[in-house]
Amino acid sequence: MAAVSGGAGAWYRTVWRWHFYAGLLCIPLVLWLACTGSLYLWKPQIEAMIDRPYDRLQITAPRPPHEQVAAAVRAVPGAIFQAYELPATPRSAARVMVGAGERQVRVYVHPETLAVLKAVDEDSRLMPTLFRLHGELLMGDKGSLVVELGACWAIVMVLTGLYLWWPRGASGAAGLLYPRLRKGKRLFWRDLHAVTGLWVSGFALFLLVSGLPWAAHWGQYLKQVRALTGTAVAAQDWTTGRADALRVRREADAGMRMAAAGHEAHGGMALAAPVKSHADAAPHADLDRLVATVAPLHLAAPVLIAPPAAPGADWTARSDAANRPLRTTLTLDGASGAILSREDFAQRHWIDRAVGYGVAAHEGQLFGLANQLLGTATALGLVLMSLSSAVLWWRRRPDGVLGAPVPQGAPRHRWAVLPALALLAVMLPLLGLSALIVLIVERLVLRRIPAVRDWLGLSPQGFRATMAMPRR
């Protein structure tokens, strides 16, 4: 790559500096997200392996669904029926969701003997735990804020990296599209970093952006924008942070308890099994006719049938497919089993459809195995790019200083970048706020502490030490 000089050189140094600090801030988190995310991509295969013992049962004459639900409710004291999952195969155990407040339990019931085979808290299962490790570091909304901040700076890292990669007088594709393997260690590591970054940058940007709607801060920001623009919907198909997810659970549990109490007070049908608690008196007998209605529709699995979530409300059935464009939601009349309304993915608002496509691709479920392999390759590319950047930094770092690139004078026409920066700050407010804080701290604090100033390369001593590095 040809040397960059003059006004272009000032811009190059400035962008390189932002690229360096963005990487310094977010590479540890990028490594974490790449490792946890690549595992989560294989959720269907992992869960099928874990649940294999419960999908190979000997079943001759299954009992009615409402009796399976009664067995599940009795297995968790104080819980109420929340959803029944249609069996994936004729040999599958019944999966019944029960809960109390924020707690949600998945109960596996033998459809014929009604024996409880397993009861596990949803939050304790492997893949939900991995989901929270990936998206919130098991720290709730505080962890989600950390992940979102890292994702925003990773976007800066990728965009500035593409600017640094852009060919400037180079001849041929070596070092641009594929690494030079016989030009020494310095060029090898440089090319490994730059070329890997080129090939994964587009996919990495997609993963970073498509993950933002789940984040606690940006997800709420999107909700506010939708409310202001009149594009809000009654209920999103995704939650924004841990607090939002727990709130949805609490509200659903409270509504279902009120609906069950109202049904009991008006002489609703009780369970065939002996009533041992208030929860057992919920109108589960309607479930039998609803299963008969929904099962022949062959909605994308898993399909969950849920009781009314408020007094006077109807039953619902929804496909909870990981490939979200296949999802369908039905409103059902419990007394007759009739379908009152149906909403397919194509009928949703375009924002919800865009997020749905993004989430499905992010999780590796939009186009099957190829999606999973592509996501895994992108994650491995991010790991390789991050590790090679650490090697580059370590090999080039002068003794006694951090080794950050030093500005080469003030870039010309800086004002031309301000609209782009303002747009980026509006789209990613957390990024704009954190960048402003970084600039203020550097100007008012870091430059005023001699030892820190020298170490960061903000002083003539630090400048000379850093300029002694091998050229990039």
Side-chain angles (χ1 to χ4, degrees), residues 202 263 279 291 313 390 426:
H263 187 280
V291 169
V426 170

Side-chain angles (χ1 to χ4, degrees), residues 40-41 134 203-214 237-238 322-325 345 350-367 371 375:
Y40 195 81
L41 287 169
H134 179 73
F203 302 113
L205 283 173
F206 174 82
L207 291 176
L208 291 167
V209 173
S210 60
L212 289 174
W214 292 323
D237 194 29
W238 69 95
N323 186 359
R324 291 176 181 243
F345 183 81
W350 71 265
I351 294 178
D352 298 271
R353 296 199 306 272
V355 173
Y357 277 113
V359 169
H362 188 106
E363 294 184 333
Q365 303 304 313
L366 186 61
F367 45 95
N371 196 166

Side-chain angles (χ1 to χ4, degrees), residues 290 293-294 297 312-317 329-343:
L290 296 178
T293 297
V294 176
L297 300 178
D314 297 301
W315 286 69
T316 59
T329 301
L330 306 174
T331 302
L332 306 165
D333 177 45
S336 66
I339 299 175
L340 302 177
S341 66
R342 173 170 179 157
E343 182 190 57

Side-chain angles (χ1 to χ4, degrees), residues 232-458:
V233 293
Q236 289 186 162
D237 194 29
W238 69 95
T239 55
T240 54
R242 180 66 171 167
D244 187 38
L246 294 178
R247 176 189 59 79
V248 170
R249 284 188 189 178
R250 289 194 304 270
E251 292 178 354
D253 179 78
M256 288 176 179
R257 289 178 185 275
M258 291 176 62
H263 187 280
E264 180 187 27
H266 288 84
M269 186 181 297
L271 292 171
V275 175
K276 296 185 179 180
S277 69
H278 169 73
D280 283 334
H284 304 157
D286 292 344
L287 180 64
D288 299 351
R289 64 178 67 92
L290 296 178
V291 169
T293 297
V294 176
L297 300 178
H298 301 293
L299 303 180
V303 179
L304 301 174
I305 301 178
D314 297 301
W315 286 69
T316 59
R318 74 178 190 275
S319 164
D320 208 26
N323 186 359
R324 291 176 181 243
L326 300 180
R327 290 187 174 186
T328 295
T329 301
L330 306 174
T331 302
L332 306 165
D333 177 45
S336 66
I339 299 175
L340 302 177
S341 66
R342 173 170 179 157
E343 182 190 57
D344 293 312
F345 183 81
Q347 297 173 278
R348 296 178 181 176
H349 191 277
W350 71 265
I351 294 178
D352 298 271
R353 296 199 306 272
V355 173
Y357 277 113
V359 169
H362 188 106
E363 294 184 333
Q365 303 304 313
L366 186 61
F367 45 95
L369 180 62
N371 196 166
Q372 292 176 301
L373 293 173
L374 181 59
T376 303
T378 301
L380 293 177
L382 286 170
V383 170
L384 181 59
M385 186 175 64
S386 300
L387 296 179
S388 60
S389 69
V391 173
L392 276 172
W393 167 73
W394 186 257
R395 289 174 61 87
R396 302 164 71 96
R397 182 181 62 88
D399 293 334
V401 295
L402 177 63
V406 179
Q408 188 175 314
R412 290 182 298 181
H413 309 300
R414 286 175 294 176
W415 56 269
V417 184
L418 292 179
L421 294 178
L423 178 61
L424 195 60
V426 170
M427 296 176 62
L428 303 171
L430 201 58
L431 172 63
L433 178 61
S434 60
L436 181 61
I437 292 174
V438 168
L439 291 172
I440 292 174
V441 170
E442 179 186 316
R443 293 285 182 181
L444 301 183
V445 179
L446 301 181
R447 290 181 180 271
R448 299 175 184 271
I449 304 174
V452 175
R453 183 178 62 222
D454 294 345
W455 188 70
L456 291 174
L458 300 174

